[in-house]
Amino acid sequence: NSSDIPLDLSTCASEPIRTPGAIQPHGMVLVLERTTLAVKARAIARPDVLDAYGDPLGHPIDAVLGGALAHCRPLLAALAAGTTQFLGAHAIGTQGVHQVVAHRVGEDVIVELEEPVAGEPGSLEDLYPAIRRFMEAIEHAATLTDLCDLAATHVRQLTGLDRVLVYRFDEDWNGAVVAENRNEVLPSYLDLRFPESDIPAQARELYRQNRVRLIANNDYQPVQLVRAAADAAEPPIDLSPVSLRSVSPVHLQYMRNMGTGASMSVSLLREGQLWGLISCHSQHPRRVPYHVRTACEFIGQILSLQITLKERALGVEQRIARRAIQVRMLARMAGDQDFMAALGRDQDSLLALTESAGAAIVHRGECILHGQCPSQAQVMQLVQWLAAQQREGDLFVTERLPSLWQASDAFAEVASGVLAISISQVHDSFVLWFRPEVVRTVRWGGDPRKEATGMLTPRTSFEGWKETVRRQSLPWSAVDRDAALELRAAIVDIVLRKAEELAAINE
Ligand code: BLA
């Protein structure tokens, strides 16, 4: 029905995935009016359910599905805005025991009932030993990679899926597979990168709020959400928290291209932001039972916390080391008449402060070089270029100078990366640090350039595609930037104090 709309990649991010108006067919959904708890919309795949109980549309929850949910009325009526509540397992006549979950979305109460899965655990408690094993294992994880490996291993043990990946976003929302646990059924994706458009912005925002999703079959027939005729003009129903929510047809095509029959993913957050996903695949269609998904969500949350702690601890360690360097430099500067010369007297500290290979100090038309730098003439040109740029604050930072200023290509080998602080705008004074070009090979899952030229079709090949990245340095971290800015504050402080001392002498 959307095939006559001109489609491009920007359409991906505008697909209304929260309001698909349909569900996946392994269960039913009843949308209730909050005050009366009467069914205002329903999605039911099985004709035998409708035959046995009649159409629930318009009836209060007590009366539908043979009264199976009648005793849930108090819980449903009390459901607070924006919350989700597990209502337990309920036998629906001859249809078996369903897992029932309720969500409050605005003024709607949405009840979803998932069909039974053979051999599913009866409760989350049954899975507690598996969760505990994971918690014990991560106590010994030394690095972030170890943590991610363990999460992949334990999620695969819990779910029995063919391949479990930990997928991490970069600052541009491209992503890379940083850990993997799999059998031999599906190919390895370890270290492969994928472009931003594979998981568009509105999907990322939804996954920040809703931590687990399951697509049990890449080839399912969606079941339409049917509403009372009187409600036809009302806005579409928001299914954001609903596990049975029908998913993007483009993404289903993506799964078919990828050769995965079923897919589950768990969100990993760091300080409220999406950090990555645990992305799991099965070659064949497959249901992951409700309680198993909850256990995986739990593992995802524990992993998220551990990632946050590990990264924070790493950051603190680095900051302490940089602070020690800074203190050494400041001690020298304070005792010296000419602080610019003093900065250069301890070259090792100057470079270590930002983990650079070279540094230049430019002050009142003079230029002093330390370590691996472009020539003095090139540095002066760079400073002129920098002075003419619209900069935000006193810091300039890039790991790809040639992409911003073509003339710098001549010295990209020593200075693809530049971190610069401006000391004084009046005199065009700068301290600059340089990092050399690091030629890297990046493996993408499929050629990302084809993606960019393509229409609204997901990639057809996930074959590793090698890109050689040139004219880039290692990235500058927040610790590097802050160390440079702190040095700037100290220099400015010293310069100001000198000026005041001079003024006092002249009085
Ligand atoms: C959703 N895309 C997703 C999801 C993943 C990926 C994990 C979440 C749903 C799920 O769990 O399967 C992508 N899966 C990946 C990647 C890896 C992986 C990168 O395993 C790498 C290992 N997708 C496209 C294009 C569009 C697109 C061109 O390739 C745009 C039209 C859209 N992807 C798209 C949409 C969703 C999605 C709209 C949301 C699906 C939904 O929740 O409804």
Side-chain angles (χ1 to χ4, degrees), residues 257-499:
N257 295 353
M258 203 186 217
T260 58
S263 155
M264 180 181 89
S265 56
V266 180
S267 308
L268 301 173
L269 281 83
R270 191 190 55 185
E271 283 156 13
Q273 300 300 311
L274 199 62
W275 181 93
L277 299 172
I278 304 177
S279 173
C280 318
H281 301 127
S282 156
Q283 184 185 30
H284 298 294
R286 174 148 177 161
R287 301 261 317 274
V288 178
Y290 173 78
H291 292 300
V292 176
R293 297 202 309 273
T294 307
C296 293
E297 179 178 1
F298 210 16
I299 285 187
Q301 271 175 335
I302 297 165
L303 178 62
S304 293
L305 279 174
Q306 292 297 322
I307 287 169
T308 310
L309 290 176
K310 268 260 141 56
E311 288 199 333
R312 213 177 274 164
L314 231 63
V316 167
E317 239 169 68
Q318 287 179 334
R319 277 170 205 276
I320 290 173
R322 301 294 171 93
R323 188 58 58 82
I325 298 169
Q326 198 188 6
V327 165
R328 205 156 59 224
M329 294 176 73
L330 291 185
R332 276 179 170 271
M333 280 161 61
D336 205 304
Q337 288 296 317
D338 180 355
F339 71 91
M340 286 311 232
L343 260 187
R345 211 154 289 147
D346 184 358
Q347 177 176 309
D348 290 347
S349 297
L350 180 63
L351 300 184
L353 188 72
T354 60
E355 293 195 336
S356 300
I361 301 163
V362 177
H363 186 52
R364 296 176 187 270
E366 251 191 282
C367 172
I368 310 169
L369 304 181
H370 301 279
Q372 295 176 309
C373 296
S375 71
Q376 281 192 339
Q378 287 167 331
V379 171
M380 292 312 275
Q381 272 182 317
L382 170 59
V383 162
Q384 270 178 12
W385 177 81
L386 268 181
Q389 297 305 299
Q390 282 287 343
R391 269 170 291 130
E392 259 180 57
D394 305 305
L395 187 75
F396 169 84
V397 56
T398 181
E399 37 262 355
R400 302 172 215 181
L401 185 62
S403 73
L404 302 176
W405 181 42
Q406 228 210 319
S408 70
D409 203 65
F411 54 84
E413 250 172 68
V414 285
S416 283
V418 175
L419 177 65
I421 49 175
S422 123
I423 306 292
S424 154
Q425 309 225 321
V426 184
H427 301 295
D428 275 355
S429 303
F430 287 91
V431 180
L432 306 99
W433 287 272
F434 304 113
R435 283 187 182 169
E437 174 185 33
V438 177
V439 178
R440 293 177 299 143
T441 304
V442 174
R443 286 174 62 234
W444 294 86
D447 182 346
R449 295 170 313 171
K450 281 196 193 136
E451 181 83 3
T453 57
M455 297 309 248
L456 186 83
T457 47
R459 78 202 48 253
T460 48
S461 166
F462 290 78
E463 239 2 76
W465 184 85
K466 279 188 192 166
E467 179 191 19
T468 306
V469 177
R470 297 180 191 282
R471 296 324 201 201
Q472 279 191 28
S473 72
L474 293 178
W476 303 97
S477 69
V479 177
D480 299 326
R481 291 165 209 227
D482 290 348
L485 278 174
E486 278 168 29
L487 181 70
R488 178 183 185 279
I491 295 175
V492 169
D493 190 36
I494 288 169
V495 173
L496 280 181
R497 210 163 43 220
K498 284 254 161 67

Side-chain angles (χ1 to χ4, degrees), residues 8-9 11-13 15 17 163 165 167 177 189 194-195 197-200 202-203 206-207 213 215 245-248 250-251 254-255 258 263-265 277 279 281 451 455-459:
D8 61 42
L9 283 178
T11 321
C12 293
E15 190 179 344
I17 61 172
R163 181 178 58 201
L165 310 169
Y167 185 75
V177 177
Y189 278 4
F194 297 85
S197 53
D198 282 21
I199 313 175
Q202 89 283 28
L206 178 58
Y207 301 165
R213 61 218 60 86
I215 303 162
R245 177 178 63 84
S246 191
V247 301
S248 160
V250 181
H251 184 57
Y254 186 93
M255 287 173 61
M258 203 186 217
S263 155
M264 180 181 89
S265 56
L277 299 172
S279 173
H281 301 127
E451 181 83 3
M455 297 309 248
L456 186 83
T457 47
R459 78 202 48 253

Side-chain angles (χ1 to χ4, degrees), residues 194-243:
F194 297 85
E196 182 272 344
S197 53
D198 282 21
I199 313 175
Q202 89 283 28
R204 296 193 303 263
E205 179 53 24
L206 178 58
Y207 301 165
R208 202 174 63 80
Q209 295 166 17
N210 179 354
R211 309 280 184 85
V212 195
R213 61 218 60 86
L214 171 71
I215 303 162
N217 183 342
N218 68 20
D219 209 16
Y220 69 88
Q221 277 298 319
V223 180
Q224 297 307 310
L225 199 56
V226 177
R227 42 173 37 177
D231 293 344
E234 279 199 21
I237 291 165
D238 181 356
L239 296 180
S240 300
V242 174
S243 304

Side-chain angles (χ1 to χ4, degrees), residues 81-147:
T83 61
T84 286
Q85 166 96 46
F86 177 57
L87 296 181
H90 296 263
I92 308 295
T94 57
Q95 307 293 321
V97 175
H98 288 56
Q99 305 294 335
V100 183
V101 180
H103 315 273
R104 166 92 184 272
V105 186
E107 290 303 297
D108 294 336
V109 171
I110 304 180
V111 180
E112 56 179 324
L113 301 94
E114 268 189 49
E115 283 174 11
V117 185
E120 73 181 307
S123 71
L124 187 57
E125 256 171 274
D126 293 351
L127 299 167
Y128 179 66
I131 297 170
R132 210 179 59 187
R133 275 198 298 280
F134 172 67
M135 300 224 262
E136 281 164 3
I138 58 172
E139 270 180 40
H140 309 291
T143 64
L144 227 127
T145 311
D146 290 351
L147 273 176

